[in-house]
Amino acid sequence: MTQRRILVTSALPYANYQLHIGNMLEHIQTNFWVRFQKLRGHKCVSLCADDTHGTAIMISAQQQGIREEELIARMQKAHIDDIAGFDAEYDNFGSTNSPENRALCQEIWAAIRKAGLVVEKEVTQLFDPKAGTFLADRQVKGTCPKCGARDQYGDNCDKCGATYSPADLVDPKSAFTGATPEVRGAVHLFIQIERLHRFLAEWTQSGEHLQPEVANYLAGHFLHEPLRDWDVSRPAPYFGFEIPDSPGNYWYVWFDAPIGYMASTRQWCDAHGEAFDDWWRSEATEIHHFIGKDITYFHTLFWPAMLHSAGFSLPTKVHIHGFLTVGGEKMSKSKGTFIRAATYLEHLDPAYLRYYYASKLGPRVDDLDLNLDEFITKINSDLVGKVVNLASRTAKFVEKTGLAAEYPDDGGLFAQAADEGQTIAEAYEQCDTNRAMRQIMAIADRANQYVEHAQPWVLAKDPAKARQLQDICTVGLNLFRQIAVYLAPVLPRMARQTGELLGRPISHWDEAQTPLLGTPVGRFQHMMTRVDKKQVDAMIEASKQPDESAAVVPAGQPEQGSSSIDSDQPLADVPLAPMCSFDDFQKVDLRVARIVAAEDVPEANKLVHLTLSLGGDKRLNVFAGIKSAYKPEDLVGRLVVCVANLAPRKMKFGTSEGMIVAAVGEGGKSLSLVAPDQGARPGHRVQ
RNA sequence: GGGCCCGUAGCUCAGCGGUUAGAGCAGGGGACUCAUAAUCCCUUGGUCGGUGGUUCGAAUCCUCCCGGGCCUACCA
């Protein structure tokens, strides 16, 4: 197979919000595809960045009393952490507010100017005098002039469907400041993309670059009539890049956002000694964009038009996915189904969601529903019951002998699964992961049947049949390894664990073609725990708190009037302990742990019996004196900080192997568990 | 108002012109005990949303209707 050069992007998250599990759908889908291509041995680079410009960012920063740069820097860290938490990292994660992006915007702008596509027009718009900024239609709310419904957006009425301009609203208010907007005129710059109509019609309808339903949508919706000029400038003040040849005007956020793909590429190239033009001006390189259906036209009309005008490569394919619903409905903050990525990670293993998405995603634009009951049964029966169980039921029989030196007769099972690698690969290539998952699970079903009929547990009792036993487990483990290879794009951690178990890392798709023989087998360790409904419930519960500041955590500004907002009483009650050395501190090994089980100890006054997980299958049994402040059922799934190397202590109700850390005040009455900030995972050291 | 997608067993879906419509999960019965109460075997269950057509033959193609979802409605 010839090595392809593939550049892959996900849509740039806006720096005004934290990622939720709907956003993660895209990062995870992209990651499946990227990992698949890399596993196939192709040269594949994945890129993303934060989209940082626009009025909304400016206003958020204003409201928080910080500079825009500070706001976007914080959010970028949060985004990168969330994405990494789901094992979906990019080769480079940049920002549209970067020098690379500014330079590329200028280059593309100059080319579009040179092509004579830019015209100026006067635009009247509502202006927020309090924020000092122009407002888009959706940033104005007021009473519908037709039916009198209140609180409607400036473009149309949800209630009666009337359309109007924001200036028609009765009693209009700025959505940001509540101020009454004024009508003002300003000159905007437009790109006449109608001049590229023929090119766009050809490119979108060629059948190669877009899903058929998307091509139809564009044909029926935009391309059947002249394309309107695209307004690409905004007057100051605007957080973004000023247009060099039009002082006082800034590029509209949707002009510089897609260029962020290129800017991120440039950063990656600079860091890896690669030539930028090899990626964006080369016939030999494929460019794949993964986006949500809400931003279709930007990526299928404007973006190709920009690239075409500036002489860059066009996207090979734009992969468009639908939205995520939870329980068949739009995500809802009040129902707890608006689940932030960070909240999910505090309660559940990222592998679960990765597999669930893989088992539901197809090549079409359909929405994907997260049904929580289905989520639980899918993980438990497919991954734990079928797949992991295969290794779990065979590995220990060959722990001492290792795998057989020759591959035994398995009735053609391995060969069949090896053949199926072809169709599974095609499914991945087409983003039809649900088809791939179905085929992989069929292999697991066959493998379990094989083990069942071969009855290794019977052979294990007869030393004379050791050879036969080894053969059977060699088959079972090799089938398992094939599955792990095929699942590697979805479940990278399981692939790694499989590599460790069998002493050979999984690094290429073709490793599913040849059985592994004569190698030692390690001690089997649990690769995945089953999902407990309680964990899911706890996550929903934790998501219910109305979280208006889905934006950045505000800087801890002390309140006015006092130099400190906090009382000095606690410190006076319990004075500081004598100074200790760094080495003293290092003796105490504090770790992040997840409470995986919590039970009341009825006979005890203060104690709750906790099982802590430090990740993997490392567990600590702890009796914690927190009964006064916490109910056991509220604790399951939470992350806490524990003293992990405390000498075990026998207690009346059992042995306690550690302590969890809590803040204690007012004579031991006020008790608050210390919880790590987002990004922390069980096993991380606290220092 | 315009457009797109979807409607197959209780649930999630596959099949997309050709023998008596399939899978997983759930339900029922049995087996096994190596395995994270996992696994294996057997089994209940569908007039493929409705209607009218095309065809020797339709879940599969076309009409219309009903139901569900989504996107749009001039700075897209």
Side-chain angles (χ1 to χ4, degrees):
Chain A
M1 189 188 301
T2 50
Q3 192 192 39
R4 293 154 61 188
R5 295 167 54 86
I6 310 171
L7 185 152
V8 184
T9 71
S10 296
L12 311 189
Y14 200 47
N16 201 31
Y17 57 78
Q18 303 253 19
L19 299 178
H20 53 68
I21 57 171
N23 304 126
M24 293 315 302
L25 174 62
E26 175 166 309
H27 297 287
I28 289 173
Q29 182 187 35
T30 306
N31 190 250
F32 293 156
W33 206 76
V34 168
R35 285 185 187 271
F36 168 71
Q37 300 299 352
K38 289 183 176 178
L39 193 63
R40 298 277 280 175
H42 298 305
K43 179 150 188 173
C44 179
V45 180
S46 63
L47 301 158
C48 197
D50 262 354
D51 178 16
T52 58
H53 292 154
T55 313
I57 299 281
M58 197 165 72
I59 303 232
S60 278
Q62 236 171 53
Q63 283 172 347
Q64 292 174 42
I66 56 174
R67 294 177 58 223
E68 287 90 349
E69 286 79 2
E70 190 179 341
L71 182 148
I72 64 181
R74 274 192 219 163
M75 194 52 84
Q76 186 183 34
K77 177 179 186 316
H79 288 170
I80 289 173
D81 285 350
D82 285 342
I83 291 167
F86 280 92
D87 294 330
E89 299 89 340
Y90 294 90
D91 291 312
N92 191 68
F93 194 99
S95 164
T96 58
N97 197 46
S98 64
E100 292 87 354
N101 201 40
R102 186 190 290 269
L104 282 156
C105 286
Q106 287 174 359
E107 182 180 347
I108 291 173
W109 180 249
I112 294 171
R113 274 277 199 201
K114 198 175 169 195
L117 297 176
V118 179
V119 291
E120 294 187 356
K121 287 194 248 182
E122 170 95 8
V123 169
T124 43
Q125 218 180 339
L126 290 184
F127 182 83
D128 181 335
K130 213 162 172 180
T133 176
F134 283 93
L135 297 167
D137 293 358
R138 302 248 166 91
Q139 293 164 347
V140 184
K141 287 190 156 186
T143 301
C144 169
K146 198 166 177 185
C147 74
R150 312 186 77 181
D151 212 29
Q152 297 301 314
Y153 286 115
D155 48 359
N156 72 311
C157 174
D158 273 348
K159 290 274 154 47
C160 71
T163 60
Y164 40 77
S165 93
D168 300 332
L169 280 176
V170 179
D171 194 25
K173 299 282 186 221
S174 160
F176 295 119
T177 63
T180 302
E182 310 162 358
V183 178
R184 287 200 190 178
V187 169
H188 285 221
L189 301 173
F190 291 77
I191 299 178
Q192 300 173 297
I193 56 167
E194 173 58 14
R195 304 251 306 264
L196 302 170
H197 196 128
R198 181 180 296 176
F199 156 74
L200 289 171
E202 247 165 55
W203 186 82
T204 59
Q205 303 304 308
S206 76
E208 292 167 37
H209 312 300
L210 303 174
Q211 289 133 299
E213 63 263 45
V214 176
N216 290 342
Y217 159 74
L218 296 172
H221 220 82
F222 297 95
L223 294 165
H224 67 289
E225 59 182 11
L227 295 161
R228 295 178 207 113
D229 295 343
W230 182 32
D231 184 351
V232 291
S233 77
R234 294 294 180 274
Y238 192 77
F239 180 60
F241 294 139
E242 192 168 18
I243 303 177
D245 53 16
S246 182
N249 284 314
Y250 289 72
W251 282 305
Y252 175 46
V253 54
W254 266 109
F255 180 82
D256 72 51
I259 297 174
Y261 297 141
M262 303 170 98
S264 191
T265 311
R266 175 149 276 164
Q267 285 182 345
W268 179 84
C269 285
D270 291 349
H272 292 83
E274 292 266 344
F276 179 80
D277 282 356
D278 286 348
W279 294 93
W280 281 96
R281 285 194 224 259
S282 164
E283 290 285 310
T285 298
E286 300 173 31
I287 297 173
H288 293 258
H289 297 303
F290 285 81
I291 63 166
K293 64 184 181 183
D294 52 327
I295 53 176
T296 297
Y297 58 83
F298 289 112
H299 284 82
T300 55
L301 295 174
F302 300 149
W303 179 231
M306 289 162 69
L307 291 168
H308 178 73
S309 304
F312 288 105
S313 301
L314 289 159
T316 308
K317 190 149 188 193
V318 182
H319 306 262
I320 304 178
H321 63 257
F323 293 149
L324 179 74
T325 55
V326 181
E329 299 177 344
K330 272 191 179 176
M331 299 191 293
S332 140
K333 286 187 181 174
S334 60
K335 288 180 183 163
T337 53
F338 192 97
I339 302 162
R340 298 215 328 235
T343 308
Y344 175 97
L345 290 172
E346 281 165 21
H347 293 87
L348 294 164
D349 185 334
Y352 302 160
L353 194 66
R354 291 178 68 96
Y355 177 73
Y356 185 82
Y357 283 167
S359 76
K360 302 291 269 188
L361 272 168
R364 286 175 302 178
V365 190
D366 302 339
D367 288 349
L368 186 157
D369 185 49
L370 169 59
N371 177 300
L372 294 168
D373 291 325
E374 189 195 0
F375 173 81
I376 295 169
T377 56
K378 241 187 203 320
I379 303 310
N380 289 349
S381 62
D382 288 2
L383 290 186
V384 182
K386 283 180 189 170
V387 175
V388 174
N389 186 230
L390 256 179
S392 175
R393 67 192 306 202
T394 50
K396 70 173 235 182
F397 293 125
V398 283
E399 215 174 89
K400 289 188 183 123
T401 60
L403 297 176
E406 275 181 46
Y407 193 72
D409 179 12
D410 65 1
L413 288 176
F414 188 91
Q416 185 187 354
D419 282 349
E420 283 170 350
Q422 182 66 30
T423 54
I424 295 169
E426 279 162 19
Y428 270 117
E429 179 69 38
Q430 291 158 19
C431 297
D432 201 352
T433 50
N434 86 74
R435 180 185 291 270
M437 294 308 110
R438 257 182 286 124
Q439 291 186 68
I440 295 167
M441 287 311 133
I443 299 174
D445 283 337
R446 273 181 258 133
N448 272 308
Q449 287 165 24
Y450 170 86
V451 174
E452 193 72 23
H453 293 141
Q455 299 187 304
W457 56 93
V458 174
L459 302 174
K461 288 172 186 159
D462 183 352
K465 294 187 173 157
R467 180 68 188 280
Q468 222 179 320
L469 176 65
Q470 188 192 27
D471 281 354
I472 284 157
C473 295
T474 298
V475 172
L477 285 170
N478 268 295
L479 295 174
F480 170 71
R481 183 163 175 269
Q482 278 180 314
I483 293 165
V485 171
Y486 295 151
L487 282 176
V490 175
L491 301 176
R493 291 189 202 184
M494 199 178 89
R496 205 195 61 227
Q497 290 167 320
T498 303
E500 285 163 9
L501 178 71
L502 300 178
R504 173 89 65 92
I506 290 172
S507 57
H508 199 284
W509 184 263
D510 290 342
E511 284 172 78
Q513 296 299 310
T514 321
L516 196 57
L517 296 167
T519 61
V521 173
R523 170 162 286 267
F524 178 77
Q525 296 183 330
H526 282 188
M527 294 181 175
M528 195 170 294
T529 45
R530 43 188 51 243
V531 192
D532 188 338
K533 188 166 191 317
K534 282 182 188 163
Q535 297 169 279
V536 174
D537 292 344
M539 174 179 78
I540 297 294
E541 208 48 47
S543 298
K544 269 183 189 166
Q545 285 113 32
D547 184 10
E548 287 314 317
S549 64
V552 185
V553 185
Q557 304 270 343
E559 301 197 4
Q560 54 188 31
S562 159
S563 62
S564 168
I565 54 172
D566 298 316
S567 154
D568 59 358
Q569 197 59 42
L571 204 52
D573 289 346
V574 185
L576 289 178
M579 197 171 281
C580 77
S581 72
F582 180 72
D583 288 341
D584 290 339
F585 170 67
Q586 284 287 297
K587 284 184 189 165
V588 181
D589 195 345
L590 296 170
R591 297 291 177 133
V592 175
R594 185 185 305 287
I595 299 175
V596 293
E599 293 169 26
D600 187 34
V601 183
E603 315 91 289
N605 297 327
K606 296 183 182 174
L607 296 180
V608 176
H609 181 191
L610 303 176
T611 306
L612 304 182
S613 166
L614 294 180
D617 59 358
K618 176 67 177 164
R619 298 280 183 279
L620 286 180
N621 199 43
V622 171
F623 288 89
I626 55 173
K627 190 183 254 189
S628 61
Y630 294 91
K631 289 188 210 152
E633 58 267 31
D634 294 337
L635 291 168
V636 175
R638 280 191 59 161
L639 290 183
V640 293
V641 174
C642 73
V643 183
N645 62 339
L646 193 67
R649 187 167 179 92
K650 275 197 181 160
M651 304 175 75
K652 185 174 172 186
F653 311 104
T655 302
S656 188
E657 302 171 312
M659 284 180 74
I660 58 174
V661 178
V664 183
E666 288 146 37
K669 287 224 164 130
S670 161
L671 202 147
S672 324
L673 286 178
V674 173
D677 212 337
Q678 72 166 83
R681 305 280 171 268
H684 284 181
R685 180 155 185 166
V686 178
Q687 53 192 8

